Amino acid sequence: MNKVKLYLNTELDTLRNQGDPLGDRTVQYLFSNPGWIEKINSWSEIPSPVEIDQLPTGISDYLRTFQVLPEWRDVKKIKTAQDFFDKEGNIYLSMLGFYSLPYCYAFADGAQVLVRSRRITEEIGMRLTETALFLLDSFRPGTFLENDKAMLTLSKVRLIHAFSRFFIQKYSKDWNPDWGLPINQEDMLGTNLAFSLLVLRGMEKLGKFPGKEVSESVLHYWKVLGFFLGIDISYWPETGKESFELEKAIRKRHLKSSESGHILIQALLKYYRDTINDPALAARAASLVAYFVGKDVAEVLGIKTSIALPKEVYGVLLDLSFFKQYGSGSTYERTRRSFLDQCKMQFGRLPELKIPSLNRS
């Protein structure tokens, strides 16, 4: 089936008002029974099937989703994607701060959700590391080939999204319905494209495009990830052509300047200026973002660049990464170990993915 015909305004308008029914029901239960939030945050892995059966229905129904791997998954593509991350995980993670996230900030309606989280502007360094941790956990070798710890990460991230939807709908008096449902299906598709398709585009700009087989394997990997994150995967692209058309459709609908987008990108660039010791390198951060996102997105974000990038963009990217990388010869384990060591040095603690606690008097 060619999915391009699904990427019409009428279809995407419908997705813009759809959330994640299972995740939203689970958050409603947790809001009424907040003691379970701390219990879930204390887990080191998804409970066993026997243990899940003994939990309240409001939680067990949700967790059972993470017990069974989908039959349609392609094991060969999963292994190919994991091998790719094993070799290029350092560049993959570096793309987060210089391409994927700035790209997301340029979509005005979706940025309204992000700017309402104070942590994304006041604790942006830790938020970046939490996003990187999500990716590292998601690409852990063996993921989706057998049940493993990655499932706990995916279950938490899905609930974090559902809690954001819940809190904004319940407490945000200035939310404009024209923006759509907070963290809706269209925005989740767009975010997953930013973490897959755009990373591949960024590598192409570095002269490191991995080829059709790897790129479509990465797309398939994010289909499986999207399935567990509560995304309607019937819209997820299977091919490079479909991913190109979906990204183009979403960009045409939502790329526009906004105060929220400007706040987010300036917070990110300030983080680079404050944490990169070399002033000459720090001054290149905005230029590097502009290089990857392109002229149109850079203009929407209000990025003014006057510094020319050297031909060795690959090396500059590694030097400017929000955590230091070590170039070629990286493996998954080396990348993860380096990442965690640097988190401890910078923040004095390791990053954690946690469902938000409810502060009740």
Side-chain angles (χ1 to χ4, degrees):
M1 172 187 172
N2 186 344
K3 295 188 177 182
V4 172
K5 63 183 180 181
L6 296 176
Y7 306 148
L8 304 174
N9 283 332
T10 51
E11 295 279 352
L12 297 176
D13 284 344
T14 299
L15 293 180
R16 189 133 207 93
N17 290 291
Q18 293 179 354
D20 168 17
L22 177 59
D24 294 338
R25 286 197 303 273
T26 307
V27 162
Q28 289 280 357
Y29 179 85
L30 293 173
F31 185 76
S32 301
N33 301 272
W36 278 101
I37 294 175
E38 294 308 316
K39 291 180 182 178
I40 293 172
N41 280 334
S42 71
W43 292 345
S44 59
E45 59 185 18
I46 292 277
S48 68
V50 173
E51 292 171 318
I52 288 176
D53 288 341
Q54 297 172 352
L55 297 175
T57 302
I59 298 174
S60 61
D61 286 350
Y62 178 73
L63 293 177
R64 286 193 187 100
T65 301
F66 299 89
Q67 284 186 292
V68 182
L69 294 167
E71 293 182 359
W72 46 259
R73 78 193 194 284
D74 187 318
V75 170
K76 181 181 178 182
K77 288 183 177 179
I78 287 171
K79 289 180 178 177
T80 297
Q82 289 177 0
D83 288 345
F84 168 66
F85 192 90
D86 184 64
K87 298 182 182 71
E88 303 289 0
N90 54 350
I91 294 297
Y92 204 119
L93 294 176
S94 297
M95 286 294 169
L96 294 182
F98 291 102
Y99 198 171
S100 302
L101 294 178
Y103 171 91
C104 291
Y105 299 163
F107 293 79
D109 295 346
Q112 299 295 339
V113 174
L114 298 173
V115 82
R116 279 165 171 74
S117 170
R118 290 184 179 179
R119 290 193 64 223
I120 209 164
T121 53
E122 296 174 4
E123 300 178 33
I124 193 165
M126 182 53 72
R127 289 285 288 141
L128 280 169
T129 60
E130 289 168 358
T131 303
L133 179 63
F134 156 66
L135 274 175
L136 280 165
D137 283 356
S138 297
F139 278 91
R140 187 192 298 270
T143 297
F144 305 140
L145 304 175
E146 56 193 38
N147 255 344
D148 64 353
K149 291 183 179 180
M151 291 300 179
L152 179 63
T153 292
L154 296 178
S155 69
K156 285 183 178 180
V157 169
R158 186 170 176 177
L159 289 177
I160 290 169
H161 291 165
F163 261 114
S164 294
R165 244 186 330 266
F166 176 83
F167 286 140
I168 289 175
Q169 290 180 289
K170 189 173 182 65
Y171 298 115
S172 184
K173 293 181 170 48
D174 63 345
W175 185 262
N176 186 340
D178 291 342
W179 297 333
L181 190 71
I183 311 186
N184 56 70
Q185 285 289 332
E186 184 185 21
D187 283 347
M188 288 193 287
L189 283 168
T191 300
N192 271 24
L193 283 173
F195 283 19
S196 55
L197 172 66
L198 293 197
V199 169
L200 296 165
R201 282 187 184 173
M203 295 191 71
E204 187 171 12
K205 292 188 176 190
L206 293 172
K208 294 175 67 68
F209 183 67
K212 180 180 177 182
E213 180 183 359
V214 169
S215 62
E216 293 194 351
S217 294
V218 170
L219 283 176
H220 181 76
Y221 203 85
W222 279 92
K223 179 181 180 180
V224 184
L225 281 172
F227 170 78
F228 286 110
L229 292 173
I231 293 175
D232 185 347
I233 58 169
S234 63
Y235 289 85
W236 184 252
E238 307 282 349
T239 66
K241 167 67 173 174
E242 290 175 354
S243 66
F244 173 86
E245 294 296 338
L246 177 57
E247 187 275 333
K248 184 173 72 171
I250 294 175
R251 177 162 35 91
K252 184 177 180 180
R253 285 164 56 83
H254 298 293
L255 180 65
K256 59 182 176 181
S257 180
S258 69
E259 181 182 2
S260 296
H262 289 179
I263 290 171
L264 291 164
I265 192 62
Q266 289 306 317
L268 180 64
L269 294 176
K270 181 179 184 300
Y271 171 72
Y272 288 134
R273 289 194 299 269
D274 292 345
T275 56
I276 297 171
N277 293 327
D278 185 334
L281 281 177
R284 289 176 171 174
S287 295
L288 195 60
V289 169
Y291 172 78
F292 283 114
V293 301
K295 180 181 177 182
D296 291 345
V297 174
E299 287 181 355
V300 162
L301 292 172
I303 302 175
K304 297 179 180 179
T305 62
S306 58
I307 301 172
L309 286 170
K311 293 181 179 179
E312 299 81 10
V313 176
Y314 174 82
V316 176
L317 175 68
L318 293 181
D319 287 338
L320 283 173
S321 296
F322 56 89
F323 55 89
K324 288 291 183 181
Q325 296 298 310
Y326 296 110
S328 61
S330 295
T331 64
Y332 177 88
E333 292 301 331
R334 282 189 63 191
T335 300
R336 187 181 185 95
R337 186 167 59 249
S338 168
F339 166 73
L340 294 176
D341 287 346
Q342 290 169 62
C343 286
K344 288 187 72 173
M345 288 177 59
Q346 184 173 354
F347 303 106
R349 62 186 176 91
L350 296 177
E352 295 179 279
L353 290 166
K354 288 191 173 184
I355 306 167
S357 298
L358 303 179
N359 297 320
R360 292 184 171 183
S361 57

PDB file of all heavy atoms in Angstrom, residues 82 88 95 97 112 157 204 251 305 315 360:
ATOM      1  N   GLN A  82      20.131  -1.593  14.426  1.00  0.00           N
ATOM      2  CA  GLN A  82      20.955  -1.635  15.633  1.00  0.00           C
ATOM      3  C   GLN A  82      22.438  -1.660  15.307  1.00  0.00           C
ATOM      4  O   GLN A  82      23.244  -1.025  15.997  1.00  0.00           O
ATOM      5  CB  GLN A  82      20.554  -2.840  16.500  1.00  0.00           C
ATOM      6  CG  GLN A  82      19.194  -2.669  17.151  1.00  0.00           C
ATOM      7  CD  GLN A  82      18.757  -3.879  17.956  1.00  0.00           C
ATOM      8  OE1 GLN A  82      19.463  -4.880  18.037  1.00  0.00           O
ATOM      9  NE2 GLN A  82      17.574  -3.785  18.543  1.00  0.00           N
ATOM     10  N   GLU A  88      27.406   4.249  14.479  1.00  0.00           N
ATOM     11  CA  GLU A  88      27.244   5.696  14.293  1.00  0.00           C
ATOM     12  C   GLU A  88      26.439   6.350  15.409  1.00  0.00           C
ATOM     13  O   GLU A  88      25.918   7.450  15.244  1.00  0.00           O
ATOM     14  CB  GLU A  88      26.544   5.970  12.951  1.00  0.00           C
ATOM     15  CG  GLU A  88      27.248   5.403  11.745  1.00  0.00           C
ATOM     16  CD  GLU A  88      28.537   6.143  11.403  1.00  0.00           C
ATOM     17  OE1 GLU A  88      28.885   7.116  12.112  1.00  0.00           O
ATOM     18  OE2 GLU A  88      29.207   5.761  10.420  1.00  0.00           O
ATOM     19  N   MET A  95      23.178  14.626  16.423  1.00  0.00           N
ATOM     20  CA  MET A  95      22.152  15.242  15.581  1.00  0.00           C
ATOM     21  C   MET A  95      20.961  15.762  16.385  1.00  0.00           C
ATOM     22  O   MET A  95      20.231  16.643  15.923  1.00  0.00           O
ATOM     23  CB  MET A  95      21.649  14.239  14.540  1.00  0.00           C
ATOM     24  CG  MET A  95      22.615  13.972  13.416  1.00  0.00           C
ATOM     25  SD  MET A  95      22.859  15.427  12.387  1.00  0.00           S
ATOM     26  CE  MET A  95      24.251  14.869  11.414  1.00  0.00           C
ATOM     27  N   GLY A  97      20.761  17.642  19.104  1.00  0.00           N
ATOM     28  CA  GLY A  97      20.836  19.036  19.490  1.00  0.00           C
ATOM     29  C   GLY A  97      21.037  20.006  18.350  1.00  0.00           C
ATOM     30  O   GLY A  97      20.731  21.189  18.482  1.00  0.00           O
ATOM     31  N   GLN A 112       4.205  24.962  21.224  1.00  0.00           N
ATOM     32  CA  GLN A 112       3.412  25.457  22.347  1.00  0.00           C
ATOM     33  C   GLN A 112       3.438  24.480  23.524  1.00  0.00           C
ATOM     34  O   GLN A 112       3.386  24.895  24.678  1.00  0.00           O
ATOM     35  CB  GLN A 112       1.963  25.698  21.901  1.00  0.00           C
ATOM     36  CG  GLN A 112       1.789  26.722  20.794  1.00  0.00           C
ATOM     37  CD  GLN A 112       2.199  28.124  21.228  1.00  0.00           C
ATOM     38  OE1 GLN A 112       2.255  28.430  22.406  1.00  0.00           O
ATOM     39  NE2 GLN A 112       2.479  28.973  20.247  1.00  0.00           N
ATOM     40  N   VAL A 157       8.134   6.816  28.724  1.00  0.00           N
ATOM     41  CA  VAL A 157       8.064   7.941  27.790  1.00  0.00           C
ATOM     42  C   VAL A 157       6.635   8.131  27.296  1.00  0.00           C
ATOM     43  O   VAL A 157       6.134   9.255  27.187  1.00  0.00           O
ATOM     44  CB  VAL A 157       9.039   7.730  26.617  1.00  0.00           C
ATOM     45  CG1 VAL A 157       8.785   8.750  25.506  1.00  0.00           C
ATOM     46  CG2 VAL A 157      10.485   7.835  27.101  1.00  0.00           C
ATOM     47  N   GLU A 204      23.640  12.649   5.555  1.00  0.00           N
ATOM     48  CA  GLU A 204      23.898  12.902   4.138  1.00  0.00           C
ATOM     49  C   GLU A 204      24.628  14.224   3.963  1.00  0.00           C
ATOM     50  O   GLU A 204      25.530  14.350   3.129  1.00  0.00           O
ATOM     51  CB  GLU A 204      22.571  12.917   3.372  1.00  0.00           C
ATOM     52  CG  GLU A 204      22.730  13.007   1.876  1.00  0.00           C
ATOM     53  CD  GLU A 204      21.420  12.801   1.139  1.00  0.00           C
ATOM     54  OE1 GLU A 204      20.352  12.818   1.777  1.00  0.00           O
ATOM     55  OE2 GLU A 204      21.472  12.621  -0.097  1.00  0.00           O
ATOM     56  N   ARG A 251       5.589  19.817   7.265  1.00  0.00           N
ATOM     57  CA  ARG A 251       6.326  21.082   7.216  1.00  0.00           C
ATOM     58  C   ARG A 251       5.485  22.177   6.560  1.00  0.00           C
ATOM     59  O   ARG A 251       5.444  23.319   7.046  1.00  0.00           O
ATOM     60  CB  ARG A 251       7.643  20.876   6.469  1.00  0.00           C
ATOM     61  CG  ARG A 251       8.473  22.130   6.281  1.00  0.00           C
ATOM     62  CD  ARG A 251       9.925  21.807   5.947  1.00  0.00           C
ATOM     63  NE  ARG A 251      10.084  20.629   5.144  1.00  0.00           N
ATOM     64  CZ  ARG A 251      10.108  20.606   3.815  1.00  0.00           C
ATOM     65  NH1 ARG A 251       9.934  21.740   3.142  1.00  0.00           N
ATOM     66  NH2 ARG A 251      10.292  19.481   3.158  1.00  0.00           N
ATOM     67  N   THR A 305      23.183  33.974  11.241  1.00  0.00           N
ATOM     68  CA  THR A 305      24.546  33.448  11.267  1.00  0.00           C
ATOM     69  C   THR A 305      25.430  34.273  10.353  1.00  0.00           C
ATOM     70  O   THR A 305      25.052  34.622   9.246  1.00  0.00           O
ATOM     71  CB  THR A 305      24.567  31.977  10.810  1.00  0.00           C
ATOM     72  OG1 THR A 305      24.095  31.918   9.465  1.00  0.00           O
ATOM     73  CG2 THR A 305      23.677  31.118  11.687  1.00  0.00           C
ATOM     74  N   GLY A 315      33.986  17.198  11.994  1.00  0.00           N
ATOM     75  CA  GLY A 315      34.786  17.409  13.200  1.00  0.00           C
ATOM     76  C   GLY A 315      34.214  18.487  14.091  1.00  0.00           C
ATOM     77  O   GLY A 315      34.221  18.364  15.320  1.00  0.00           O
ATOM     78  N   ARG A 360       0.726  16.868  45.872  1.00  0.00           N
ATOM     79  CA  ARG A 360      -0.576  17.142  46.479  1.00  0.00           C
ATOM     80  C   ARG A 360      -0.390  17.438  47.955  1.00  0.00           C
ATOM     81  O   ARG A 360       0.389  16.785  48.651  1.00  0.00           O
ATOM     82  CB  ARG A 360      -1.508  15.942  46.327  1.00  0.00           C
ATOM     83  CG  ARG A 360      -1.933  15.684  44.884  1.00  0.00           C
ATOM     84  CD  ARG A 360      -2.933  14.548  44.827  1.00  0.00           C
ATOM     85  NE  ARG A 360      -3.499  14.434  43.502  1.00  0.00           N
ATOM     86  CZ  ARG A 360      -4.443  13.549  43.188  1.00  0.00           C
ATOM     87  NH1 ARG A 360      -4.910  12.734  44.103  1.00  0.00           N
ATOM     88  NH2 ARG A 360      -4.915  13.505  41.956  1.00  0.00           N
TER      89      ARG A 360
END
